[in-house]
Amino acid sequence: AQSVTQLGSHVSVSEGALVLLRCNYSSSVPPYLFWYVQYPNQGLQLLLKYTTGATLVKGINGFEAEFKKSETSFHLTKPSAHMSDAAEYFCAVRHTRGSARQLTFGSGTQLTVLP
Amino acid sequence: NAGVMQNPRHLVRRRGQEARLRCSPMKGHSHVYWYRQLPEEGLKFMVYLQKENIIDESGMPKERFSAEFPKEGPSILRIQQVVRGDSAAYFCASTTETRGYGYTFGSGTRLTVV
């Protein structure tokens, strides 16, 4: 079984400040890890993913995340927040083995960017 | 190359009616996943289909819900005798057989049961 915990359902930062959204996962096998962004009344857009290789993953819009196996974490960061970053962010995990290819999502973190 | 197309975007049904949600995957994608998002929650897996086959329906409620992905045409998620608790956003994602970790999501269908 696998699960995802996102600490903080709401995070507020000032424009230009560091963005840190936390994600911890539980998986019995090495996982694939994802961050998605959802704007109001829209679908999910992939920000970045970790499959294999380098543990620091860079994504779109200046976001990056680091896979830390020892901490079972995959936190999302961005050095400087922009007003357009205000959205809901979802962390997700998927098995790397077997036929179970579906994603398991966290409950989401709503990011507010203050002017 | 159009993305994953879902329709309708919004659907209103009275209690007891049927809801049909359609998902056309990206061109070349033969795997479809349906997820449900309840208000203030993340997405929950419902069902995984390939053309003409249901691969995993472990997340689907046992009654009133069914899904298909025919050889021709879109994937359909069907909810019979809808209840207020079915009100949610339903998202479809597609992927190719080889891109086991690359999912493209549609914009969703927002179902409201009145």
Side-chain angles (χ1 to χ4, degrees):
Chain A
Q2 53 196 3
S3 64
V4 177
T5 301
Q6 290 185 240
L7 294 174
S9 58
H10 292 83
V11 170
S12 293
V13 300
S14 298
E15 190 175 18
L18 171 72
V19 176
L20 170 61
L21 304 182
R22 300 179 186 274
C23 173
N24 288 89
Y25 69 91
S26 171
S27 178
S28 57
V29 297
Y32 290 153
L33 295 160
F34 306 78
W35 274 100
Y36 284 88
V37 61
Q38 184 181 31
Y39 297 98
N41 296 316
Q42 294 188 26
L44 275 71
Q45 180 181 6
L46 180 66
L47 278 177
L48 49 80
K49 63 180 182 286
Y50 168 78
T51 53
T52 58
T55 55
L56 181 61
V57 181
K58 294 187 183 298
I60 62 171
N61 301 339
F63 285 94
E64 61 183 36
E66 186 171 11
F67 169 53
K68 292 187 176 180
K69 184 178 178 181
S70 62
E71 298 177 8
T72 61
S73 68
F74 191 57
H75 301 329
L76 181 71
T77 60
K78 181 174 180 177
S80 177
H82 192 272
M83 297 297 288
S84 62
D85 294 328
E88 187 146 26
Y89 292 80
F90 293 96
C91 182
V93 62
R94 204 216 91 178
H95 270 310
T96 57
R97 300 173 188 166
S99 61
R101 298 185 175 189
Q102 63 269 24
L103 297 173
T104 299
F105 285 88
S107 55
T109 297
Q110 182 68 48
L111 176 66
T112 300
V113 181
L114 304 171
Chain B
N1 185 17
V4 176
M5 304 300 293
Q6 289 188 250
N7 63 80
R9 289 293 303 274
H10 300 275
L11 182 61
V12 179
R13 284 287 178 266
R14 296 185 184 279
R15 282 177 293 171
Q17 291 185 320
E18 178 180 287
R20 280 185 181 241
L21 288 63
R22 287 177 288 278
C23 169
S24 296
M26 284 187 68
K27 186 176 181 180
H29 286 194
S30 57
H31 298 231
V32 166
Y33 303 78
W34 285 94
Y35 293 85
R36 177 165 63 176
Q37 183 179 32
L38 294 170
E40 307 297 322
E41 293 187 18
L43 280 73
K44 305 293 185 188
F45 167 74
M46 299 182 74
V47 62
Y48 164 33
L49 309 105
Q50 296 178 21
K51 286 282 189 181
E52 300 184 277
N53 284 304
I54 297 175
I55 306 303
D56 183 347
E57 56 182 347
S58 59
M60 192 96 95
K62 292 291 185 283
E63 303 196 353
R64 303 188 296 108
F65 285 73
S66 62
E68 63 176 8
F69 189 15
K71 186 177 180 180
E72 302 290 337
S75 175
I76 305 288
L77 179 67
R78 181 182 179 205
I79 311 172
Q80 296 179 291
Q81 299 176 321
V82 296
V83 300
R84 288 233 171 98
D86 297 331
S87 296
Y90 292 82
F91 289 95
C92 166
S94 73
T95 185
T96 64
E97 186 172 356
T98 54
R99 289 187 69 198
Y101 49 81
Y103 307 83
T104 301
F105 279 84
S107 298
T109 292
R110 281 147 186 86
L111 172 66
T112 302
V113 180
V114 297

